[in-house]
Amino acid sequence: MRLISFLRDWMLPIAMVVGAVAYLVYSHIGTFDPVRPYVNEAVSYIQPLLIFMMLFLSFCRVKISDLRPCRWQAWLLLIQVLSFSLLAVATMLIPKNADYRVLIEGAMLCLICPTATSAAVVVSKLNGSAANVITYTILINLMVAVIIPLIVPLVHPQAGVSFITAFLLIIGKVFPLLLCPLIAALLVRYLLPKVHAALLKYPDLPFYLWAIALALAIAMTVKTIVHTHLAFGYQAGLAVISLACCFLQFYLGRKIGGNYDDSVTAGQALGQKNTILAIWMGYTFFTPITAIAGGFYSVWHNLANSYQLYKHKNDVNAGK
């Protein structure tokens, strides 16, 4: 029982360590060479499936009528868009051959990246509003789909990448994983009420699915960092930049959300990011080097989540 309790309490740090160690071992053992293409393909299917299941289970617990915009969401949208736009202007004023441009672009990526689809799982654990964080996740993804195609071509012009092309690329990457779980949850709620009731009996299931998804995400993060040819100084710079962005966004989210009695939800909405999407946006619209910032951010926001869950449990136990 002690072992089970320990694993449950430290699930996220354990998942992060397992993911990192698993990739390092896997990448250094030649025996796995013949199966690497199949493993990579399997991961490309498993990750979206886990995200789908987490969102599906979260939507099952939330009524559609509860998905309504609120005031703090407008402030958070303004922060993400304004900070991203101001840094974009600063980047355009810097010579294109300046090496430190990558640090500013890394900050841009960390600030505009939309909320993680797993945020609803953490918010539920922390007694926040899953409905509010899901609403913000949908809003910020729509905003990102518009703002990235508008601004990034000014910073990183790419031949053949129009606004419509970039818009459809982002929508195609994100929205199937937002809308399909929602539709599936609605169908189960109204057509299969017994199945819906059965799923509600396992409130911790999304959390355990997230632990598996987190291990895979950290493995992919380590892969991105290990295989980069970026000098150590710039890697360290991107690590510091992403850490500063992570701290700032959790702080601002909680501060603004506190004015509307929803600090936990707003903090997660602004601080917990879809880092897989951040890495993809880095490769697709910026440079592969910039994607490293998304990898480091994945580490920082999950450490923040682990601390918050640990502190929340201690506070609950102290109140008993």
Side-chain angles (χ1 to χ4, degrees):
M1 290 299 293
R2 287 185 178 181
L3 177 61
I4 294 174
S5 178
F6 174 82
L7 291 174
R8 187 183 296 113
D9 292 345
W10 298 98
M11 181 69 72
L12 300 189
I14 291 171
M16 293 173 69
V17 172
V18 167
V21 172
Y23 177 76
L24 292 173
V25 171
Y26 166 78
S27 63
H28 286 86
I29 296 179
T31 309
F32 292 115
D33 288 346
V35 300
R36 292 191 198 282
Y38 303 104
V39 171
N40 292 337
E41 186 175 359
V43 170
S44 70
Y45 286 103
I46 292 171
Q47 272 191 323
L49 179 61
L50 288 170
I51 293 171
F52 177 94
M53 290 303 299
M54 283 188 294
L55 269 181
F56 167 71
L57 292 169
S58 297
F59 281 133
C60 281
R61 305 188 70 84
V62 173
K63 294 180 180 178
I64 301 303
S65 59
D66 294 334
L67 301 180
R68 296 190 301 268
C70 53
R71 290 185 178 180
W72 62 257
Q73 293 166 355
W75 286 109
L76 266 55
L77 288 170
L78 180 63
I79 287 172
Q80 289 199 247
V81 172
L82 188 60
S83 61
F84 178 76
S85 302
L86 290 174
L87 287 179
V89 172
T91 304
M92 286 185 280
L93 298 176
I94 295 172
K96 291 187 177 181
N97 59 351
D99 292 335
Y100 57 87
R101 271 178 63 114
V102 69
L103 300 179
I104 301 178
E105 290 175 7
M108 289 172 63
L109 196 62
C110 292
L111 291 168
I112 198 59
C113 183
T115 307
T117 50
S118 59
V121 179
V122 184
V123 166
S124 296
K125 280 282 186 182
L126 297 175
N127 292 337
S129 171
N132 282 350
V133 80
I134 290 171
T135 303
Y136 187 78
T137 301
I138 295 171
L139 293 174
I140 187 58
N141 274 285
L142 280 171
M143 185 64 73
V144 167
V146 174
I147 204 73
I148 290 287
L150 279 177
I151 292 182
V152 171
L154 301 176
V155 180
H156 268 285
Q158 295 184 42
V161 181
S162 64
F163 170 81
I164 296 297
T165 302
F167 177 82
L168 292 176
L169 273 173
I170 298 174
I171 289 292
K173 185 79 174 178
V174 172
F175 266 73
L177 284 179
L178 285 174
L179 295 180
C180 292
L182 174 59
I183 294 170
L186 284 173
L187 291 174
V188 169
R189 177 186 290 270
Y190 293 110
L191 300 180
L192 301 169
K194 290 184 179 180
V195 174
H196 181 260
L199 290 173
L200 296 183
K201 293 179 181 179
Y202 304 97
D204 288 334
L205 183 56
F207 181 72
Y208 295 121
L209 290 175
W210 180 40
I212 299 171
L214 175 58
L216 287 174
I218 292 297
M220 299 302 291
T221 296
V222 172
K223 178 183 178 181
T224 302
I225 295 171
V226 167
H227 291 285
T228 183
H229 299 293
L230 187 64
F232 175 78
Y234 285 107
Q235 289 193 53
L238 285 172
V240 172
I241 289 291
S242 60
L243 176 61
C245 289
C246 182
F247 175 83
L248 179 65
Q249 290 182 105
F250 269 109
Y251 173 79
L252 289 177
R254 280 185 163 267
K255 193 75 174 177
I256 292 170
N259 295 327
Y260 301 94
D261 297 321
D262 206 5
S263 60
V264 168
T265 310
Q268 294 304 128
L270 192 59
Q272 189 174 342
K273 301 293 189 181
N274 185 347
T275 52
I276 298 299
L277 183 65
I279 293 171
W280 175 79
M281 288 195 299
Y283 276 105
T284 306
F285 300 108
F286 291 86
T287 63
I289 292 172
T290 310
I292 300 296
F296 280 118
Y297 197 102
S298 177
V299 176
W300 306 136
H301 81 156
N302 280 301
L303 287 174
N305 287 335
S306 300
Y307 170 75
Q308 289 182 102
L309 290 168
Y310 172 77
K311 186 174 183 298
H312 176 72
K313 182 180 179 182
N314 280 354
D315 291 344
V316 169
N317 290 338
K320 288 182 177 180

